[in-house]
Amino acid sequence: MIIIDYTDRRPIYEQIVERFQSLVLCGVLEKDAPLPSVRNLAMELSINPNTIQRAYTELERRGVIYAVKGKGNFVADMQPLLALREKEVREEAERLVRKAKEAGMTKEDLNRLFNAAWTESARTLTPESTQAGEKKQGPVPEDGSKSMQQAASELGVGGEADD
């Protein structure tokens, strides 16, 4: 779901970029899937189309999407980005292990911390958090009412091209 949080200090286009990037990295939006047109998404979110265009431009700059003239915007192949992210996570984990050893923690202590963090992050990365098109702020209900495919459908994947 694209959630615009008007209390967030970040610009709206950055919130949109972050949300689309999460949808792509989580697999909700697959390679070559069409994104909603700028005009349709702007109407859906009740924001200026220039804001959507700026977000799409940033996503294209980051390699998350690509544009086809006259056809619209599509999800790019994320394997290179996923490999880079995995490398970054591995390096960060190695730094964290070194810090834990320096602090006198055991492998079991660190495993407990990782397991707790993994469980906590699972609560924030639920299918409900990937729903699309809603403009509310605040927590997303955790009732399991929508699948990731429903979320992608609500986002307008399979959308129309921009004119």
Side-chain angles (χ1 to χ4, degrees):
M1 141 181 352
I2 302 295
I3 298 172
I4 305 301
D5 181 357
Y6 294 99
T7 63
D8 191 331
R9 299 185 109 180
R10 294 175 301 150
I12 292 172
Y13 86 94
E14 285 181 9
Q15 293 180 47
I16 294 168
V17 166
E18 179 183 297
R19 195 66 195 133
F20 269 115
Q21 191 165 317
S22 293
L23 290 170
V24 170
L25 291 173
C26 289
V28 174
L29 297 175
E30 296 177 356
K31 180 182 175 195
D32 298 325
L35 296 181
S37 71
V38 169
R39 186 175 298 135
N40 286 346
L41 189 56
M43 286 185 353
E44 175 115 7
L45 296 175
S46 299
I47 59 176
N48 190 314
N50 292 333
T51 303
I52 302 298
Q53 185 58 52
R54 186 170 182 187
Y56 279 8
T57 299
E58 179 61 20
L59 286 165
E60 188 173 3
R61 186 190 70 74
R62 293 182 184 187
V64 176
I65 66 172
Y66 64 93
V68 176
K69 191 159 184 77
K71 300 286 186 186
N73 295 291
F74 300 86
V75 176
D77 180 9
M78 295 307 297
Q79 289 308 314
L81 181 59
L82 289 171
L84 177 63
R85 283 272 172 107
E86 184 178 331
K87 180 181 178 218
E88 290 170 353
V89 168
R90 189 177 308 113
E91 290 170 355
E92 185 66 27
E94 289 169 359
R95 281 192 292 275
L96 186 58
V97 167
R98 280 193 301 275
K99 286 175 89 173
K101 283 181 176 181
E102 290 169 1
M105 294 177 70
T106 66
K107 183 177 180 181
E108 291 75 26
D109 293 336
L110 195 55
N111 279 333
R112 275 194 297 278
L113 287 174
F114 271 119
N115 287 333
W118 188 271
T119 301
E120 182 60 31
S121 72
R123 289 186 207 140
T124 60
L125 295 175
T126 62
E128 294 80 28
S129 69
T130 58
Q131 295 169 351
E134 201 166 308
K135 296 179 295 199
K136 70 177 188 175
Q137 60 188 35
V140 177
E142 295 187 27
D143 62 359
S145 61
K146 296 188 181 177
S147 71
M148 290 184 145
Q149 289 300 348
Q150 289 169 320
S153 170
E154 289 176 8
L155 179 60
V157 173
E160 301 124 35
D162 285 331
D163 296 332

